[in-house]
Amino acid sequence: MSRTLLAIETSCDETAAAVVDDALSVRSSVVASQIDLHAAFGGVVPELASRAHLETVTPIVARALEEAGVSGRDLTAVAVTSGPGLVGALLVGIATAKALALGWDIPVVGVNHLEGHLASVYLADPEVPFPQTALLVSGGHCMLTRCTGPGHYELLGETVDDSIGEAYDKVARFLGLGYPGGPVLDRLAATGEDVLGFPRPMLAEGYTFSFSGLKTAVVNHVRADPGFSESEVAASFVAACMDVLIAKLRRALEEFRDPALAIVGGVAASPILRARAQVLADEFGTRLLIPPHAMATDNAAMIGVAGWHKLEASGGSAPAFGPEPDMRLRFV
Ligand code: KG4
Ligand code: ZN
């Protein structure tokens, strides 16, 4: 019988639990989104998030166990996101994981949320090749790395200001399109043309990203032209974002010629990014690794995969570990 692990993710606005076995097969994955709760505010309200996690986490864990057909007695360990994220939100997941692990007398392993996203490529295909040129594009991060093996990353570059998902969310909020901005801007972009000539920031700057100036260019355009077309703004903004991402990926593929290109994080759910990345990967003869749509945005299955890697590399975490809101990836 295979060994199974319960994973819990509560770092931001999704309460998620999953059961993943040691072959990295997902037995269950349950995600309760708080999007409706935060939509009216145009972004995540930390106190509301913590309270909602507290109410939801126990039933979500119960559902994940039930759907996987396992009970606490069958589990090998509990994995939980320990950072980065909102401190109160992380605390709910960590306290829950510790209490369950103590009751079941099994180890608990704290997982870096970013490692979870990078491990989400296993959810598409457990036989992933290395090294990978790996782009992490989410609400909190925009980071290009090279992943030389599970848990081994080199940083190529990251954003000096906003993450790309944050830019999407801020532009959508400014246009009154609600939260999260990614899906709605992508849909609108498909109905318009890239005609507004928004800047492609830091194209020549190695692997460094910047999205705050692009967001300001959108705001300035909208303020200056009351008759602006929403679909043209969306199409021009999204095209500028994608041109930057693809240019940086092209540079990395030219420099390293890695056999795999991984794209992870919430923005990897974008059909526009997926299509353009596939064209690029085909051009370089590299394998494109993108998690299935539902596993690109926050979920616990990816925390389960990273949890297995960590458990097998270094065992459970010390009992005193707590939330690390600013946790970084460890580059080795
Ligand atoms: O990874 P994620 O769920 O949470 C963080 O770790 O931050 O990413 C959320 C981000 C949000 O900024 C959201 O607007 C963006 O992912 N996103 C998308 C799409 N779906 C979600 N961006 C572009 N296109 C999408 N379809
Ligand atoms: Zn995330």
Side-chain angles (χ1 to χ4, degrees), residues 9 11-12 14 113-114 117 136 138-141 265-266 296-299 302:
E9 153 65 42
S11 67
C12 191
E14 259 93 32
H113 182 82
L114 307 179
H117 276 302
L136 196 166
S138 69
H141 294 84
T297 49
D298 288 349
N299 65 86
M302 68 185 195

Side-chain angles (χ1 to χ4, degrees), residues 139-161:
H141 294 84
C142 181
M143 182 186 279
L144 189 58
T145 69
R146 283 187 81 220
C147 184
T148 50
H152 292 267
Y153 318 98
E154 275 165 38
L155 179 65
L156 297 180
E158 60 191 325
T159 181
V160 291
D161 42 53

